[in-house]
Amino acid sequence: MKKIWVLLLLFSGRLFAQSSSKDFTDLIQPSIFAITKVMMHDVVNPPAASRFYSYCMMGAYEIVATSDKSMPGLQKLLAAYKPEKPVSSYTITNSQITALYCILETGKLMLPSGYMIEKDLDELNTKLKNRKVSDAVIKTAHEIALLIAKDCIRYASSDAYTKLSAKLRYTPKKGEGYWYPTPPAYLEAVEPNWKTVRPFFLDSSSQFIPAPPAPYSTDKSSEFYKLTDEVYTVSKTLTKEQLHIASFWDCNPFAVENAGHLSLGFKKISPGGHWMNISGIAAKQSKLSFSQTITMQTMVAFSLADAFISCWDEKYRSHRIRPETVINKQIDIKWQPLLQTPPFPEYPSGHSVISSAAAEVLSFFLGDNYRYTDDSEMMFEIPARKFTSFRAASDEAAISRLYGGIHYRDAIEFGVIEGKKVGELIVGRLKQYGISSFKK
């Protein structure tokens, strides 16, 4: 009888060793994209999307950090992070599989249509079984992942997000030069109180207030009028390349197009979703390990979240009017921008801020001159683009807003500066706690 028990223990130990030695890095991006697909379905606005990505990655990071001692725990990185039950207190037999389940389970719990992720969980089960992972390992990993996901949700519930709906609805400021809803749908302002959401690394939403925008003026010699005229003039002379750039970085979660008496909605990934995908592309190209990929994806998510908080803080301080409104009133009543004007104040450019922040973090991990091809928009039949660096990509994302006719140049340029400061702060924190570059 003792021999039988010894054989069983050896056999189960061998199964555990086999499943533990397998690498599941290639399953990270599909898990993240499962979150993206649900957010596209739910038409999650850009700031909220960055928050969801961050919390979905948080538990996965902590799980992997328990087995990779080169990764500092989140309690070191994030001043506000004080979990009710530390991840290290769980008996995790396979950190990679547990992390994958945690990404999906957190999304399933957080997102309005999270039930849709059940299909992705089933697909993950199938993929793991096809790789000869035992039912016991899968069951244990999934159960622990669900507990950790619930811990992440508890922490997320304290970031003030749930209080937003109780705040007063936004009323556009009276007077010339201030934002108010734009065609074709005239949607109300998105997340006017987003600055109250708890950041991850920033001390406060107002830590990096950009220089003030050019003051509104109808004087043709004024700086503001010249900025407005530039938007109008550029829109009339766009090259084929500039048209491609504008559409490539559109990233409008829900554009509305009127066709007769019908209003048609078109869904795309958010700006944050685009950069999360870029991070996945780069991780795969660089053949990063599982822990490196999770680390980079998590820190990019945090950078996006903080950049949106910083950007939205200024948007609802300056309340600046959009080019479409001014041009229709002052220059050409029939003019329409190439891209649909987003439903929130103009200054600064959100894409400029968040792209610059993400580019700083990615440049830290993979280098200043990292060449890659971004095919994130192929699903929308927009051709891929090649880049010589992450900063080159972020600069292109920024100027795309001028080509698209939805931002003035100063909103773009000062947005880039603001985002760079957010990214540099995060990179400094990563270096402080021992997270190293992955550059070869």
Side-chain angles (χ1 to χ4, degrees):
M1 188 67 179
K2 287 183 179 180
K3 288 182 179 180
I4 293 174
W5 277 110
V6 170
L7 287 171
L8 285 172
L9 287 170
L10 286 172
F11 181 67
S12 61
R14 190 174 296 128
L15 278 178
F16 169 66
Q18 288 173 352
S19 63
S20 296
S21 63
K22 293 179 184 294
D23 185 81
F24 303 99
T25 306
D26 63 303
L27 300 181
I28 296 174
Q29 198 57 22
S31 298
I32 296 173
F33 191 66
I35 307 301
T36 299
K37 287 187 296 182
V38 176
M39 287 199 280
M40 286 173 60
H41 173 273
D42 288 344
V43 195
V44 174
N45 67 61
S50 69
R51 174 181 179 268
F52 289 136
Y53 281 123
S54 295
Y55 286 115
C56 287
M57 296 307 302
M58 173 180 279
Y61 179 91
E62 278 290 83
I63 289 165
V64 177
T66 61
S67 60
D68 186 341
K69 300 307 176 185
S70 68
M71 297 168 61
L74 290 179
Q75 284 182 280
K76 285 186 177 180
L77 288 171
L78 307 178
Y81 182 61
K82 296 177 177 61
E84 291 185 15
K85 183 175 181 180
V87 172
S88 58
S89 65
Y90 294 97
T91 303
I92 298 172
T93 55
N94 189 302
S95 61
Q96 292 191 16
I97 296 175
T98 308
L100 293 171
Y101 277 116
C102 192
I103 293 171
L104 295 173
E105 286 291 356
T106 307
K108 183 180 174 183
L109 290 170
M110 288 193 83
L111 293 165
S113 297
Y115 64 88
M116 295 173 62
I117 293 176
E118 192 64 46
K119 179 182 177 182
D120 298 280
L121 286 164
D122 291 340
E123 289 178 357
L124 178 58
N125 289 342
T126 301
K127 289 175 182 177
L128 294 174
K129 290 178 180 179
N130 288 341
R131 298 189 189 192
K132 309 302 181 185
V133 179
S134 71
D135 289 341
V137 170
I138 291 174
K139 183 174 182 293
T140 300
H142 198 168
E143 288 175 348
I144 293 175
L146 181 56
L147 294 173
I148 295 171
K150 289 179 179 179
D151 285 339
C152 290
I153 299 300
R154 278 192 286 271
Y155 177 66
S157 67
S158 65
D159 72 353
Y161 174 77
T162 57
K163 297 178 181 179
L164 295 178
S165 60
K167 293 183 178 293
L168 290 175
R169 295 177 66 178
Y170 179 77
T171 301
K173 294 190 68 173
K174 295 182 179 180
E176 291 189 320
Y178 295 120
W179 177 88
Y180 53 89
T182 52
Y186 296 94
L187 300 173
E188 64 180 24
V190 168
E191 303 294 4
N193 299 298
W194 196 256
K195 68 178 182 179
T196 64
V197 173
R198 178 185 61 211
F200 289 87
F201 287 103
L202 294 178
D203 295 331
S204 71
S205 63
S206 59
Q207 189 168 351
F208 297 116
I209 297 176
Y216 176 80
S217 175
T218 58
D219 185 340
K220 291 186 178 182
S221 65
S222 68
E223 181 184 358
F224 181 82
Y225 191 91
K226 290 175 182 177
L227 290 169
T228 304
D229 188 60
E230 180 186 26
V231 176
Y232 180 70
T233 303
V234 166
S235 74
K236 298 293 186 180
T237 58
L238 290 171
T239 65
K240 185 177 180 180
E241 174 77 353
Q242 289 170 334
L243 288 168
H244 183 199
I245 289 170
S247 62
F248 185 80
W249 294 103
D250 183 11
C251 304
N252 188 339
F254 190 69
V256 177
E257 184 174 306
N258 292 328
H261 296 291
L262 295 176
S263 292
L264 306 176
F266 298 91
K267 301 179 182 181
K268 289 186 177 181
I269 57 174
S270 67
H274 193 147
W275 279 98
M276 288 297 287
N277 207 56
I278 290 172
S279 182
I281 290 169
K284 182 179 180 180
Q285 179 174 299
S286 297
K287 299 180 180 179
L288 298 186
S289 68
F290 192 97
S291 61
Q292 288 174 329
T293 301
I294 287 291
T295 297
M296 189 166 76
Q297 290 279 37
T298 303
M299 299 311 150
V300 168
F302 288 169
S303 72
L304 294 167
D306 278 8
F308 270 114
I309 290 170
S310 179
C311 180
W312 253 241
D313 174 79
E314 176 57 35
K315 278 188 179 293
Y316 291 97
R317 178 183 295 106
S318 53
H319 306 274
R320 195 197 213 181
I321 197 168
R322 286 280 181 171
E324 182 172 13
T325 307
V326 182
I327 292 172
N328 286 164
K329 186 176 181 180
Q330 302 291 337
I331 301 175
D332 183 350
I333 195 172
K334 295 182 178 180
W335 182 84
Q336 292 180 322
L338 176 66
L339 303 181
Q340 189 173 123
T341 300
F344 37 80
E346 188 270 345
Y347 189 86
S349 156
H351 233 329
S352 302
V353 178
I354 69 105
S355 297
S356 295
E360 287 303 307
V361 173
L362 285 167
S363 296
F364 162 70
F365 282 118
L366 297 177
D368 295 330
N369 300 300
Y370 189 88
R371 294 176 176 272
Y372 69 99
T373 298
D374 182 1
D375 61 359
S376 301
E377 300 295 316
M378 291 286 284
M379 71 183 88
F380 308 113
E381 300 182 349
I382 300 173
R385 294 190 62 78
K386 294 183 178 181
F387 297 100
T388 57
S389 71
F390 297 114
R391 292 191 184 96
S394 69
D395 286 343
E396 185 179 282
I399 198 64
S400 75
R401 316 323 264 170
L402 177 63
Y403 301 156
I406 59 177
H407 278 292
Y408 309 102
R409 186 177 289 275
D410 62 345
I412 293 166
E413 293 178 347
F414 287 118
V416 168
I417 294 170
E418 181 181 352
K420 184 176 174 62
K421 288 179 179 178
V422 172
E424 288 175 340
L425 171 77
I426 294 172
V427 168
R429 191 71 60 83
L430 301 183
K431 290 178 178 178
Q432 179 184 352
Y433 290 106
I435 293 182
S436 302
S437 167
F438 303 147
K439 290 177 288 187
K440 295 181 180 178

